Amino acid sequence: MLKGDIYYPHGPPLGLSDDEVAAGFVLMCQARARGDVSVEIHEITTPEQAQFKRLPARIERSLPLAHDVVALYLKLPAAEDFRFEAGQYIDIMLPGGRRRSFSIASPPHDARPLELHIRRVAGGEFSAPLFDAGKQSALLTIEGPLGQFIYRESSASMLLIGGGTGLAPLLSIIRHVIETGLERAMTLYWGVRAERDLYAQDRLDDLAQRSGGKLHYVPVLSEPSPAWQGARGFVHEAALRDLDDLHRYDVYAAGPPAMIAAVRGEFARCGVPPSRLFFDSFDYAPDALERQRTSAATKS
């Protein structure tokens, strides 16, 4: 932004670093102007950058992964070339111009159908019906690809930290590295609440075995049963306990806003430079939050 004043009605966005804020960058999708403003925009100038599309997509199948998570597989038009980078997301359009954002769990080389991981939101306009059989074969409209949380080429080892369905973009990146033969060492910490929430445990174990030693996977539970023998607590804290040389990693973090804020603060204090810290904050849309508040007030 070149001139004027803005504010964020839902709080400061995690999508901008402190340096970017100081340089005048703003997230126009979240910002509100307090008056006249003057902005400079980045124009799309090359065919490689002009990949954003609005497309119809049909729900090919919905696969329950856990008590509150489904894998949604979207069939795109055969004639359309939908290109994206590992880690990006799409928007699903809803009535009234509203939208829901979901990370792509598929890698770019194996994205037909397109895989999404969707958590049930109480009273959610889009997520709740997916747990009913009648949603099969529904036709949707999507926009994308979107986002700057993408795999970046480097010789450094990768530390991936996921919370809940924040695993989805990390899974896209992991599969991209393993299945295209890239030589990157990867350590994944995936944090969920309890054993029943480890919806991708078998899949991640299989990827670790197929990786030829490239992938090391650590599940972390914040509220485990007494029988749990693995890592406990907050997922970012488990990584901090285990690793004492964080400066040698490229760090990719995806999950709830509180987890992202903790990673940004604590990992920077442990020597990870901002240029090697990449993050994707998963949050509810404002209208979904309002429905949850209304529902909670009605039930209380």
Side-chain angles (χ1 to χ4, degrees):
M1 187 172 69
L2 303 177
K3 182 180 179 182
D5 187 26
I6 60 96
Y7 70 99
Y8 295 101
H10 304 293
L14 293 174
L16 292 176
S17 68
D18 293 339
D19 289 341
E20 288 171 330
V21 172
F25 286 87
V26 297
L27 287 184
M28 300 304 294
C29 59
Q30 298 186 36
R32 299 292 182 270
R34 287 197 170 97
D36 293 339
V37 297
S38 176
V39 298
E40 180 181 11
I41 63 172
H42 173 69
E43 295 184 1
I44 295 176
T45 57
T46 68
E48 290 76 14
Q49 291 174 294
Q51 297 178 358
F52 177 88
K53 294 183 177 183
R54 173 176 282 214
L55 297 172
R58 187 172 297 279
I59 297 179
E60 184 173 279
R61 68 184 187 276
S62 178
L63 176 65
L65 298 178
H67 64 103
D68 63 347
V69 178
V70 297
L72 197 67
Y73 295 90
L74 302 182
K75 183 177 182 179
L76 304 180
E80 290 287 350
D81 184 20
F82 184 76
R83 298 185 182 183
F84 64 95
E85 297 187 62
Q88 288 190 294
Y89 69 93
I90 61 169
D91 276 356
I92 294 178
M93 308 307 295
L94 300 179
R98 290 170 293 111
R99 58 185 66 212
R100 294 291 181 267
S101 301
F102 298 102
S103 289
I104 303 170
S106 317
H109 66 271
D110 185 21
R112 299 281 179 154
L114 206 64
E115 179 184 349
L116 312 177
H117 294 177
I118 300 178
R119 182 178 301 281
R120 182 200 292 265
V121 177
E125 179 181 1
F126 179 74
S127 66
L130 294 177
F131 290 79
D132 300 328
K135 196 69 176 180
Q136 299 291 336
S137 300
L139 188 63
L140 307 173
T141 299
I142 69 169
E143 285 189 353
L146 300 162
Q148 297 301 311
F149 183 74
I150 58 174
Y151 171 77
R152 290 167 167 81
E153 289 289 352
S154 168
S155 60
S157 297
M158 298 170 63
L159 174 59
L160 305 105
I161 301 176
T165 53
L167 174 67
L170 302 182
L171 183 61
S172 176
I173 291 171
I174 289 168
R175 288 190 59 196
H176 171 69
V177 171
I178 293 173
E179 295 171 11
T180 60
L182 298 174
E183 293 300 325
R184 297 289 298 275
M186 298 178 289
T187 300
L188 167 66
Y189 283 78
W190 181 35
V192 295
R193 181 170 295 175
E195 287 92 329
R196 70 172 184 169
D197 301 310
L198 289 169
Y199 66 81
Q201 177 87 330
D202 292 343
R203 193 173 186 184
L204 292 171
D205 286 340
D206 178 67
L207 282 169
Q209 290 180 0
R210 291 197 290 116
S211 72
K214 292 179 185 176
L215 174 64
H216 176 59
Y217 162 52
V218 180
V220 184
L221 303 186
S222 60
E223 299 178 13
S225 71
W228 177 251
Q229 299 297 312
R232 298 166 178 255
F234 293 123
V235 64
H236 70 283
E237 293 179 349
L240 289 171
R241 287 194 301 267
D242 293 348
L243 306 172
D244 56 7
D245 52 354
L246 291 174
H247 62 277
R248 71 183 184 92
Y249 290 97
D250 286 345
V251 179
Y252 292 77
M259 187 201 87
I260 297 301
V263 169
R264 289 183 65 182
E266 296 183 33
F267 279 59
R269 286 191 289 272
C270 291
V272 180
S275 61
R276 297 179 66 180
L277 178 58
F278 314 109
F279 52 88
D280 190 5
S281 179
F282 282 40
D283 203 356
Y284 295 120
D287 60 302
L289 282 172
E290 183 58 33
R291 279 198 299 276
Q292 289 184 66
R293 296 189 189 102
T294 302
S295 176
T298 301
K299 294 175 182 176
S300 62

